Amino acid sequence: MIALGCDHGGFSLKQEIIAYLKEQNLEFKDYGCYNEEACDYPVYGKAVANAVVNKECDKGIIICGTGIGISITANKVKGIRAALCSDCFSAEATRLHNDANILAMGARAIGPGLAIKIVDTFLNTEFSGENRHKNRINQIED
């Protein structure tokens, strides 16, 4: 189960991601926002982060205009490792090395074609499980 959240700046890109998830038969839960009316990204960043940390969802995808504010918000929740990615290499590396559980993107920074490739990479890359990476994650969590 994938948790989705965005502010008004990310709404259109979230719709593209929803279409992709449906094509892939991947289950998701949409935590808002639900239109392009101005709203506050912390509401939706926290909702997705809480869904992931409470194990209602396995991973999350959050989107705002730049991806910065919503990722900062999500990372305030203990147990969340949200990574702002604007390329596939970063999406792959953050799953392999950081076991990131939330992908953040900036709708005003990347287009829908690239965003879908980043989502695909993030969702289909497993954590390496290497001890050096586990040790670093433990240090993050302390």
Side-chain angles (χ1 to χ4, degrees), residues 6 32 51 55 57 63:
C6 70
K55 302 197 183 307
C57 296
I63 311 159

Side-chain angles (χ1 to χ4, degrees), residues 7-66:
D7 71 354
H8 56 284
F11 177 76
S12 179
L13 184 57
K14 185 180 73 172
Q15 300 312 112
E16 299 277 348
I17 292 167
I18 287 171
Y20 166 79
L21 294 175
K22 286 180 178 178
E23 284 175 13
Q24 300 299 311
N25 294 315
L26 295 171
E27 292 184 346
F28 64 91
K29 185 169 181 184
D30 187 351
Y31 288 86
C33 74
Y34 304 107
N35 56 50
E36 292 181 331
E37 291 179 29
C39 62
D40 298 325
Y41 61 79
V43 171
Y44 308 103
K46 287 178 186 177
V48 169
N50 286 322
V52 171
V53 84
N54 293 330
K55 302 197 183 307
E56 296 167 28
C57 296
D58 303 310
K59 292 186 180 91
I61 300 171
I62 50 178
I63 311 159
C64 68
T66 63

Side-chain angles (χ1 to χ4, degrees), residues 70-116:
I70 203 163
S71 65
I72 291 170
T73 300
N75 278 317
K76 292 281 195 175
V77 176
K78 186 166 178 58
I80 292 301
R81 290 176 306 284
L84 174 58
C85 298
S86 55
D87 60 80
C88 293
F89 173 78
S90 296
E92 180 181 34
T94 200
R95 287 290 305 131
L96 284 170
H97 299 177
N98 311 120
D99 198 17
N101 47 18
I102 295 182
L103 168 65
M105 294 185 291
R108 295 179 183 141
I110 59 174
L114 178 56
I116 296 304

Side-chain angles (χ1 to χ4, degrees), residues 88-141:
C88 293
F89 173 78
S90 296
E92 180 181 34
T94 200
R95 287 290 305 131
L96 284 170
H97 299 177
N98 311 120
D99 198 17
N101 47 18
I102 295 182
L103 168 65
M105 294 185 291
R108 295 179 183 141
I110 59 174
L114 178 56
I116 296 304
K117 289 179 182 177
I118 292 168
V119 167
D120 184 68
T121 301
F122 183 84
L123 294 179
N124 290 300
T125 302
E126 295 296 324
F127 175 53
S128 71
E130 294 178 30
N131 282 335
R132 65 188 172 125
H133 298 306
K134 287 179 182 178
N135 290 337
R136 292 169 186 157
I137 291 168
N138 288 335
Q139 291 178 55
I140 292 169
E141 296 297 320

